[in-house]
């Protein structure tokens, strides 16, 4: 089940463009050999249309498009979730397959040690549920925090820009346009930005100062219809970050 809604969101694609994207995904094993001309021929269009499509999606050309899509398609196809033990197993090692201990330390220093400025959290859809958990966790730790979701007025974000010390985004796809727009504003204001996204390349990860990568079992299931351990892994990573923070506080107290 492959859902390309986030992949093509905001790209102003024609019906033919969308058809070609689906074709490339469904024929990922053969399209590189077919090349631009072969893909164009199979879709009754011109090579220039395929090249323009690649650029509309933000890639330098067809080859770049292919190699960006390949890991998303292959990882989606290769994951089998019929092994309950493997599916439900989350360990500390999972956090460091894609992330570094230094990343967690940087989050602690630049976010959890903020004194006067606010932490602002933004997310939409299913990600907003996880964002609400992070928001409440920060509140009980005494951190000045604001949260907004896709249903909130843009003013909630824009009216607080001068007081934001860290801007946190949770976005499974890393391609939601509302998220990208706010990241661009935050970057322009010099606000430190943090994103929690899937582990493969995405715009939100590239824009942020600090990105945490979490395994997304089905990268082409943007509606989150299939069983996926992305959000459980995300919450466990959040808890591990807070554990690191509290362990550091305890060490400081012990050394006094």
């Amino acid at each position: 089940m492959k859902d390309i809604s986030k992949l093509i969101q905001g790209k102003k694609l024609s019906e033919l463009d969308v058809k070609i994207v689906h074709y490339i995904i469904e024929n990922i094993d053969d399209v590189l050999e077919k090349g631009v001309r072969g893909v164009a021929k199979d879709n009754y269009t011109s090579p220039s249309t395929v090249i323009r499509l690649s650029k509309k999606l933000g890639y330098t050309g067809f080859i770049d498009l292919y190699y960006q899509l390949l890991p998303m398609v292959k990882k989606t196809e290769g994951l089998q979730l019929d092994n309950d033990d493997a599916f439900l197993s989350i360990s500390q090692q999972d956090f460091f397959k894609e992330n570094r201990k230094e990343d967690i330390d940087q989050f602690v220093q630049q976010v959890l040690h903020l004194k006067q400025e606010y932490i602002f959290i933004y997310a939409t859809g299913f990600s907003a549920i996880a964002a609400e958990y992070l928001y409440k966790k920060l509140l009980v730790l005494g951190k000045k925090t604001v949260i907004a979701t896709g249903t909130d007025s843009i003013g909630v974000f824009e009216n607080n820009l001068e007081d934001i010390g860290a801007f946190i985004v949770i976005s499974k796809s890393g391609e939601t346009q509302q998220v990208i727009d706010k990241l661009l504003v935050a970057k322009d204001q010099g606000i430190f930005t943090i994103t929690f996204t899937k582990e493969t390349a995405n715009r939100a990860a590239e824009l942020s100062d600090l990105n945490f990568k979490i395994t997304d079992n089905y990268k082409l299931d943007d509606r989150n219809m299939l069983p996926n351990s992305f959000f459980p892994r995300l919450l466990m990573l959040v808890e591990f970050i807070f554990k690191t923070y509290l362990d550091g506080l305890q060490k400081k107290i012990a050394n006094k």
Side-chain angles (χ1 to χ4, degrees), residues 5-13 56 175 177 203:
S5 57
K6 292 288 176 62
L7 180 67
I8 65 175
Q9 186 179 52
K11 303 298 194 302
K12 298 181 180 179
L13 302 187
K56 284 181 185 179
E175 297 291 347
Q177 194 58 45
R203 289 187 293 162

Side-chain angles (χ1 to χ4, degrees), residues 24-41:
I24 292 171
I25 290 172
E26 295 302 327
N27 297 276
I28 199 72
D29 292 328
D30 304 315
V31 290
L32 188 60
E33 185 177 345
K34 285 176 178 287
V36 173
R37 293 185 181 277
V39 172
K41 180 180 178 182

Side-chain angles (χ1 to χ4, degrees), residues 34-52:
K34 285 176 178 287
V36 173
R37 293 185 181 277
V39 172
K41 180 180 178 182
D42 289 351
N43 287 276
Y44 305 101
T45 188
S46 65
S48 60
T49 298
V50 179
I51 294 170
R52 282 197 299 270

Side-chain angles (χ1 to χ4, degrees), residues 95-212:
F95 306 146
F96 297 114
K97 286 178 182 177
E98 304 287 347
N99 307 295
R100 305 173 303 159
K101 178 64 167 61
E102 291 81 3
D103 297 332
I104 292 174
D105 292 338
Q106 186 180 11
F107 184 96
V108 169
Q109 290 302 316
Q110 296 202 232
V111 179
L112 299 183
H113 284 297
L114 284 173
K115 298 298 183 185
Q116 300 300 322
E117 296 173 303
Y118 280 86
I119 301 166
F120 196 105
I121 305 171
Y122 184 78
T124 65
F126 280 90
S127 295
I129 300 172
E132 182 75 17
Y133 181 87
L134 173 59
Y135 167 67
K136 291 184 176 179
K137 194 80 177 182
L138 287 165
L139 287 183
V140 298
L141 286 173
K143 306 302 176 183
K144 296 166 65 176
T145 311
V146 177
I147 187 172
T149 68
T151 60
D152 291 312
S153 165
I154 184 65
V156 176
F157 175 64
E158 292 183 344
N159 293 341
N160 286 283
L161 283 173
E162 293 183 1
D163 299 314
I164 299 173
F167 181 55
I168 302 175
V169 160
I170 298 176
S171 174
K172 187 166 82 76
S173 70
E175 297 291 347
T176 303
Q177 194 58 45
Q178 291 167 287
V179 165
I180 301 302
D181 292 341
K182 288 175 179 58
L183 275 171
L184 288 169
V185 172
K187 293 286 287 182
D188 185 60
Q189 294 293 316
I191 298 169
F192 184 70
T193 56
I194 310 98
T195 55
F196 292 84
T197 68
K198 66 184 180 184
E199 79 277 23
T200 52
N202 60 83
R203 289 187 293 162
E206 291 172 3
L207 283 171
S208 58
D209 296 307
L210 178 61
N211 172 242
F212 289 99

Side-chain angles (χ1 to χ4, degrees), residues 226-246:
L226 300 174
N228 197 332
S229 60
F230 175 87
F231 289 109
R233 290 177 188 277
L234 166 64
L235 294 180
M236 285 297 293
L237 176 57
V238 165
E239 292 294 355
F240 187 77
I241 290 172
F242 285 125
K243 180 181 185 303
T244 301
Y245 168 67
L246 293 173

